[in-house]
Amino acid sequence: SLQAHRFSDLNFDHYKLQLSPTLERMSQMKSLDHVLRELAETLQIERPLTILDVETTGTNTRRDHVVQFAASSVTPSGEVTHINELINPEMSIPPEVTAIHHITNNDVKNKPTFRDHAQLLAETLSGHDFVAYNHRFDRDVLTAEFERAGVPSPFVNAIWIDPYKIWLHLEPRKLVNAVERFWGERPDETELHRAEVDVELAAQALVGQLRQHAGTDLVATSVQALAENTTPRDPDWLDA
């Protein structure tokens, strides 16, 4: 069964309490509990709020499967629970993917499948709202897993909060921002959205980026390498 715990109650519903193996890990979990309670208080939540993340066999939200699911939830009253499960994906994890999340085929070969977890997980998360960084990938790959298991998704009518989207809102990434950041001058905004002006600004933004970062691990110095360096490996994958 899914393993979850809350520090205030050693008999949480169906779940078996799993104490952290080290005092350091326990300290980290308690620290996370404080963060979750601060979120609940600041946002004045009216429904449980769950922060979740998945690791998978690859980047395609329809074909690839979950190999790890983790979630931490807080209720409006400040009650906190955690889930962290390795999951048998019923398919091989490619070596290049293991190199990213360090989960091997041996790690998951004797673990329950997502189908084994799906009903209880859906019941546990029903009525929650969610937080995930670049949430579309996590939401879509989990939705596909619930569909394969024949279990209704708990995400229907849920609200999603995405810290990545909030970051973009707080620090916009429009052309004018790029020119100011990398070229060093803020363009006259009354001239924006004329094609010939935007051509010049795009050129300035790119030259500024190359001046600051060309030759580093972040920015390549050939057309093909730069394009490959900045193109997502899969259009469905948003890498957190």
Side-chain angles (χ1 to χ4, degrees):
S1 64
L2 288 169
Q3 297 167 342
H5 68 266
R6 64 187 181 192
F7 288 100
S8 60
D9 186 350
L10 301 186
N11 296 304
F12 174 58
D13 294 337
H14 315 285
Y15 304 126
K16 178 176 69 177
L17 175 67
Q18 183 181 43
L19 293 176
S20 302
T22 66
L23 291 176
E24 180 181 3
R25 180 60 180 156
M26 291 178 68
S27 177
Q28 291 172 347
M29 295 303 289
K30 289 180 180 179
S31 176
L32 174 56
D33 287 3
H34 290 310
V35 172
L36 292 168
R37 292 187 179 111
E38 180 178 340
L39 280 174
E41 182 177 356
T42 301
L43 295 175
Q44 298 181 319
I45 63 174
E46 298 179 355
R47 296 168 14 128
L49 185 68
T50 292
I51 295 83
L52 61 78
D53 189 71
V54 298
E55 303 299 338
T56 66
T57 58
T59 65
N60 189 291
T61 58
R62 302 302 301 176
R63 294 194 301 268
D64 285 301
H65 291 204
V66 172
V67 299
Q68 184 186 19
F69 175 83
S72 292
S73 303
V74 60
T75 68
S77 63
E79 180 182 333
V80 172
T81 57
H82 306 282
I83 297 171
N84 184 12
E85 292 288 337
L86 289 175
I87 295 173
N88 183 341
E90 302 181 275
M91 63 187 298
S92 179
I93 307 172
E96 61 271 22
V97 178
T98 291
I100 296 171
H101 54 46
H102 308 296
I103 299 171
T104 68
N105 288 302
N106 283 336
D107 291 334
V108 297
K109 66 180 181 180
N110 295 320
K111 299 296 183 180
T113 66
F114 192 92
R115 187 176 292 103
D116 296 327
H117 288 306
Q119 187 63 49
L120 182 55
L121 185 59
E123 293 172 1
T124 301
L125 299 179
S126 179
H128 290 215
D129 293 320
F130 300 93
V131 176
Y133 193 86
N134 271 338
H135 79 282
R136 185 164 63 92
F137 178 76
D138 302 86
R139 181 199 63 198
D140 290 356
V141 75
L142 285 168
T143 297
E145 288 279 24
F146 281 115
E147 289 177 359
R148 282 191 289 267
V151 174
S153 168
F155 305 140
V156 177
N157 298 322
I159 295 172
W160 286 82
I161 298 173
D162 191 332
Y164 175 68
K165 297 284 184 67
I166 294 174
W167 182 23
L168 293 181
H169 176 69
L170 294 173
E171 299 181 16
R173 297 295 196 269
K174 296 180 180 178
L175 179 56
V176 62
N177 306 115
V179 173
E180 182 177 24
R181 165 70 174 81
F182 296 105
W183 186 250
E185 298 176 6
R186 188 172 181 87
D188 182 353
E189 296 191 43
T190 63
E191 297 292 327
L192 296 179
H193 303 299
R194 291 183 59 88
E196 76 278 10
V197 174
D198 288 357
V199 165
E200 180 179 0
L201 295 180
Q204 290 175 349
L206 179 56
V207 167
Q209 290 168 333
L210 291 172
R211 286 176 179 175
Q212 293 184 31
H213 299 288
T216 69
D217 292 338
L218 297 175
V219 177
T221 53
S222 74
V223 171
Q224 181 175 347
L226 183 58
E228 292 174 352
N229 187 223
T230 56
T231 301
R233 282 165 282 184
D234 187 292
D236 292 330
W237 191 31
L238 294 174
D239 186 7

